[in-house]
Amino acid sequence: MSDTVETQLTVVDVKIDDRLAWVTLNRPEKRNAMSPTLNREMGAVLDELELRDDVGVIVLTGAGESFSAGMDLKEYFRETEKQGALQVAKVRKEATDWMWRRLLHYPKPTIAMVNGWCFGGAFTPLVGCDLAFAADEATFGLSEINWGIIPAGNVTRAVAEVMNHRDSLYYIMTGEPFDGRKAAEMGLVNRSVPAAELRAHTEAVARTLLDKNPTVLRFAKNAYKYVKTMDWDTAEVVLGTMAATSASSDPERGRQKGMSQFLDEKSYRPGLGGYRRDA
Ligand code: COA
């Protein structure tokens, strides 16, 4: 991180290792509950990492035994509400801005690594990330019903994006906790692995993404998210336009390289792996 942002971070930690940014929610003593300060810092971190040349993929995780225990009941709700409606609106906006608005269409690949507790509001950035991996032993829960609120902060919308109707309603209505295996079975995360293997597994996938053409990756993942809610006719037009823009703005000229290495050089098979990017 540049000096300016890095020195301002108090409850988020950022470590960059060979183009992979490990972004850690860092309030382990509060189970990484998301306070207004944490949300503000996450906004600044995403702003900065988006434009850094030395960052290609972002992994979002939590310090200690938690991913995140959701919104901070004391700082995000009780203390903010004492400051009046305008402050509530400001604090909510800073939260939802990063938790889904920024993450959903972030230009770089994002992976949530759920290492432990993951409750309520934490489902929003979890689903906001492109991919998610969990420890088998992690504990998830839509716990809002257990303390008398509905899953707002776009949690319910996030859940509806990845989980089916029956599972969504069951967990929204019961607040029953579930583990990483169940999260994977329901499609809330891509896969769960034993906790001891979680970091290595996440890093391996992140490094696979780092090997891909970043321009095409950016257009590909955002195209998926945009067209998902479109009718087929509109989607075809949008995808055609995005494909053309992706090809014309790709400094690597991946399309030409891929085609020529397959058709002319016969040096690889696109069905089985990627073209040589350094050629
Ligand atoms: N908001 C505010 N503070 C929280 C918090 C939250 N969401 N989750 C945990 N904390 C705080 C606790 O108040 C406690 O603070 P203290 O040490 O000052 O008393 C500290 O974090 C540790 O929490 P504790 O409950 O003692 O830890 P635990 O390991 O026994 O249990 C959880 C962990 C996550 C199961 C439990 O803290 C919990 O249920 N948290 C709330 C989860 C939730 O419903 N979140 C949804 C919010 S939308």
Side-chain angles (χ1 to χ4, degrees):
M1 304 291 292
S2 74
D3 285 347
T4 35
V5 175
E6 191 175 25
T7 52
Q8 286 163 12
L9 293 178
T10 59
V11 286
V12 177
D13 181 67
V14 177
K15 297 246 175 337
I16 296 165
D17 172 25
D18 194 14
R19 306 199 59 238
L20 175 50
W22 297 91
V23 177
T24 305
L25 307 177
N26 192 21
R27 301 178 73 210
E29 73 290 353
K30 298 289 182 190
R31 307 301 179 258
N32 306 323
M34 294 183 283
S35 62
T37 305
L38 183 144
N39 293 326
R40 217 165 292 130
E41 291 189 9
M42 274 307 303
V45 165
L46 290 178
D47 278 349
E48 166 127 355
L49 297 184
E50 177 175 352
L51 298 177
R52 282 186 59 152
D53 289 339
D54 60 341
V55 171
V57 172
I58 289 165
V59 173
L60 178 67
T61 190
E65 67 205 60
S66 322
F67 177 69
S68 167
M71 307 321 292
D72 187 308
L73 271 63
K74 181 164 170 273
E75 293 188 36
Y76 182 81
F77 291 107
R78 182 188 277 168
E79 288 176 0
T80 305
E81 282 156 18
K82 282 188 199 146
Q83 295 168 50
L86 282 178
Q87 185 63 12
V88 168
K90 176 176 180 287
V91 161
R92 281 203 186 137
K93 183 171 182 310
E94 284 170 342
T96 54
D97 269 357
W98 84 265
M99 293 196 310
W100 68 271
R101 268 189 209 91
R102 297 294 316 284
L103 276 180
L104 262 191
H105 298 291
Y106 201 67
K108 296 180 179 176
T110 51
I111 305 177
M113 184 174 90
V114 183
N115 50 311
W117 304 118
C118 178
F119 289 106
F123 277 55
T124 303
L126 166 65
V127 175
C129 287
D130 302 322
L131 303 176
F133 300 106
D136 291 342
E137 301 87 339
T139 302
F140 295 77
L142 290 164
S143 53
E144 285 88 343
I145 194 84
N146 295 339
W147 66 280
I149 68 164
I150 73 163
N154 249 356
V155 169
T156 297
R157 180 63 186 84
V159 167
E161 186 74 13
V162 292
M163 282 166 52
N164 74 32
H165 187 86
R166 293 289 176 218
D167 288 333
S168 299
L169 284 170
Y170 182 84
Y171 289 105
I172 285 170
M173 292 166 72
T174 64
E176 189 178 296
F178 53 92
D179 66 13
R181 286 191 192 87
K182 184 73 188 170
E185 185 192 310
M186 294 189 296
L188 179 60
V189 300
N190 291 85
R191 192 174 160 193
S192 83
V193 296
E197 295 165 25
L198 180 62
R199 193 177 165 98
H201 178 75
T202 306
E203 177 156 5
V205 176
R207 301 247 168 248
T208 301
L209 298 177
L210 282 168
D211 282 345
K212 304 284 177 201
N213 178 325
T215 308
V216 183
L217 201 50
R218 170 160 55 95
F219 277 93
K221 80 185 187 93
N222 281 331
Y224 170 78
K225 291 178 182 183
Y226 284 126
V227 304
K228 213 173 166 188
T229 54
M230 291 176 189
D231 63 80
W232 283 55
D233 288 307
T234 315
E236 184 172 316
V237 173
V238 169
L239 286 172
T241 308
M242 289 185 79
T245 314
S246 168
S248 66
S249 63
D250 178 13
E252 189 170 306
R253 295 166 50 86
R255 189 174 188 271
Q256 289 91 329
K257 278 187 188 169
M259 234 188 249
S260 134
Q261 288 176 23
F262 180 53
L263 298 177
D264 307 325
E265 299 170 21
K266 299 193 182 300
S267 58
Y268 89 118
R269 290 179 172 77
L272 304 179
Y275 64 89
R276 270 192 346 276
R277 295 183 57 208
D278 56 1

